[in-house]
Amino acid sequence: MAGRMASRTAVVTGAGSGIGAAIARGLAAEGANVVLADLNDQAVQAVADGITADGGAALAMHVDVTSRAQVQAAVAATVERFGRLDVWFNNAGMNAPMPFLEITEENFERIMRINAIGVLIGIQEAAKRFLEQGGGGKIVNTASIAGRTGFPSFAPYSASKAAVISLTQAAARDLAQHGITVNGFAPGVVATPLWKQLDADLAAMGAADSGFDSMAADILLGRPAQPEDIVPTALFLACSDSDYITGQIVAIEGGMILV
Ligand SMILES: NC(=O)c1ccc[n+]([C@@H]2O[C@H](COP(=O)([O-])OP(=O)(O)OC[C@H]3O[C@@H](n4cnc5c(N)ncnc54)[C@H](O)[C@@H]3O)[C@@H](O)[C@H]2O)c1
């Protein structure tokens, strides 16, 4: 398939839903071979099947991003199926809100393990493969506006996304010598299944003022994002148009926190 991602192979974690599914579809529509990695086997297979039905090249894989062995297996399967790896999206993530004074070590560790350690492992394992290929390659991380400012109802999530921003900068500094770029984007409020559980949890906490509707009400452009609003920037960061950009986080938040 022709396009900006022609003959490139990209892995997207968390591709079974929301933003990751939209990115995988967008990459495939631009000609990429896409490996869709997710915990949810049924969901990720359905997204991959949709891409294949549209004439794209897709492989669905069960991957828990907190397992280095499973991430390594995803790299190996990608290379076996498509011959090489060009782009790695660390997109899988979750939230589990708690009132600030009640946050437990367990809550903090769970969120950090998936959202931050998962990104560290993804960066490392993708970069190792890029080095085996002689350098080059792109890594794109899903941060959040919550990494730019702390939200009291989900402080561990904010901390984990600040970690994603720091990891992006540190990895960019370390990997530039090998021609590898590392960037990220920070969505604001995106209409995805993540918010269903989050809104229910926030309502149960009595913190509806940080729910989807109230946060979306403050967006300058007058509406929350749809997953498709994220795709053009994701594509830009994955293709050669962004070759001279590294260590950056692009905010995609419709005018919200403006930092
Ligand atoms: N929706 C928003 O408003 C918003 C805003 C800012 C950032 N984000 C971030 O965007 C990313 C995608 O979120 P979304 O809104 O599309 O959520 P989503 O819940 O729709 O999709 C997340 C996907 O990640 C998968 N996943 C979760 N834990 C995993 C793990 N350990 N290993 C592999 N896969 C795992 C889930 O199965 C799911 O398919 C997340 O990193 C999230 O924090 C979302």
Side-chain angles (χ1 to χ4, degrees):
M1 218 190 258
R4 280 183 293 168
M5 295 295 294
S7 73
R8 300 215 178 177
T9 298
V11 175
V12 183
T13 70
S17 178
I19 295 169
I23 290 173
R25 288 189 200 102
L27 292 168
E30 286 284 341
N33 306 314
V34 188
V35 177
L36 299 94
D38 204 291
L39 275 181
N40 186 332
D41 296 341
Q42 233 181 334
V44 80
Q45 188 62 55
V47 180
D49 288 349
I51 290 172
T52 308
D54 287 341
L59 172 68
M61 278 207 71
H62 178 91
V63 178
D64 180 342
V65 297
T66 68
S67 161
R68 189 178 292 276
Q70 289 185 27
V71 172
Q72 287 171 337
V75 173
T78 301
V79 174
E80 193 187 325
R81 171 72 181 269
F82 294 118
R84 59 181 284 115
L85 174 67
D86 299 293
V87 181
W88 185 281
F89 277 88
N90 288 303
N91 170 76
M94 50 74 74
N95 198 352
M98 291 189 101
F100 186 82
L101 290 180
E102 294 169 28
I103 293 164
T104 59
E105 291 87 331
E106 188 195 13
N107 174 266
F108 191 91
E109 283 175 2
R110 176 169 164 240
I111 293 168
M112 289 301 275
R113 179 156 288 282
I114 296 169
N115 292 3
I117 296 181
V119 169
L120 173 69
I121 291 171
I123 293 172
Q124 290 172 322
E125 296 306 325
K128 285 181 202 165
R129 176 63 206 170
F130 292 153
L131 294 185
E132 281 168 29
Q133 294 174 175
K138 288 170 177 279
I139 296 168
V140 186
N141 300 323
T142 304
S144 169
I145 56 165
R148 291 284 194 211
T149 186
F151 287 89
S153 300
F154 36 84
Y157 180 83
S158 288
S160 73
K161 293 300 186 177
V164 171
I165 294 170
S166 296
L167 288 169
T168 301
Q169 294 168 342
R173 287 200 163 99
D174 190 60
L175 298 172
Q177 61 187 313
H178 305 295
I180 299 168
T181 65
V182 189
N183 292 294
F185 54 86
V189 178
V190 191
T192 71
L194 177 144
W195 271 101
K196 288 204 175 79
Q197 184 64 44
L198 185 54
D199 260 349
D201 292 345
L202 288 165
M205 276 165 56
D209 58 332
S210 42
F212 184 86
D213 288 339
S214 86
M215 285 182 79
D218 290 335
I219 296 171
L220 295 180
L221 293 181
R223 63 171 179 87
Q226 297 298 320
E228 290 68 28
D229 289 311
I230 308 300
V231 174
T233 303
L235 262 171
F236 169 70
L237 294 174
C239 79
S240 59
D241 290 347
S242 60
D243 276 356
Y244 193 64
I245 297 177
T246 197
Q248 305 300 316
I249 302 291
V250 182
I252 315 170
E253 40 95 278
M256 203 179 157
I257 62 162
L258 308 185
V259 290

